Amino acid sequence: MLSNSSKYALKAVLYLADKTDISHKLMVRELSEPTQVPKAYLAKLLQALSKHNIISATKGPKGGYFLTKENKELPVFRIIEVIDGNQRIESCVLGIDECNAAHPCPLHEYVSPTRTALLSTLKKMTIGELALDLKKGTSFLTR
């Protein structure tokens, strides 16, 4: 359901949510290793996320990427939407273009309720809420 790009972007944003603020920023090279995302790939993702105001960035010697309070209030779904668009997460798991409730694929009735629930959760849950579990130590991104 999620592309590698979206997975990488989610990991990077959650890492930033956990480790940064306006006074503590991270550069791509500092994010690449702990998130296990190649530097060049990560740089492109972060540029797209910054362009859409999902993360914040400053240039210069004390620059880098970080999350503000406003960034943390955005729904997690916005990350996926910017990186993949809506098509991928809402498409048929078997890749059938014509799959819908009126013309379902064999898995449609099993996948559709789960997908609907997941999308609803991702649209309601904020980046900050998801990152709280990292701060509490009840979830992790790295080993």
Side-chain angles (χ1 to χ4, degrees):
M1 285 179 68
L2 297 178
S3 69
N4 281 338
S5 295
S6 276
K7 291 175 193 176
Y8 288 162
L10 281 165
K11 283 171 49 174
V13 170
L14 291 173
Y15 192 85
L16 286 169
D18 185 40
K19 305 288 186 195
T20 68
D21 57 40
I22 191 128
S23 63
H24 183 250
K25 304 166 185 98
L26 294 176
M27 302 294 285
V28 173
R29 67 179 179 276
E30 297 168 307
L31 271 168
S32 179
E33 189 177 321
T35 58
Q36 300 175 336
V37 181
K39 286 180 205 168
Y41 201 10
L42 182 59
K44 288 175 91 174
L45 293 171
L46 294 176
Q47 286 173 350
L49 294 168
S50 178
K51 179 182 175 185
H52 288 89
N53 299 314
I54 294 171
I55 63 173
S56 297
T58 56
K59 294 181 181 184
K62 296 191 185 232
Y65 293 98
F66 63 101
L67 264 68
T68 63
K69 183 177 180 253
E70 291 77 19
N71 297 137
K72 290 177 184 179
E73 291 172 356
L74 294 170
V76 174
F77 184 75
R78 280 289 294 138
I79 300 165
I80 298 162
E81 189 174 42
V82 164
I83 301 300
D84 284 344
N86 293 340
Q87 179 70 19
R88 185 177 183 108
I89 200 164
E90 294 175 358
S91 66
C92 172
V93 294
L94 296 180
I96 299 170
D97 291 337
E98 303 82 24
C99 178
N100 58 48
H103 186 74
C105 76
L107 289 174
H108 187 87
E109 72 175 283
Y110 304 104
V111 174
S112 185
T114 304
R115 178 192 343 251
T116 301
L118 175 61
L119 285 171
S120 177
T121 299
L122 293 174
K123 288 176 181 179
K124 289 177 190 168
M125 181 184 301
T126 67
I127 294 166
E129 288 171 338
L130 197 55
L132 259 178
D133 288 340
L134 294 171
K135 289 212 182 292
K136 291 180 195 173
T138 57
S139 67
F140 65 95
L141 289 171
T142 59
R143 295 174 192 196

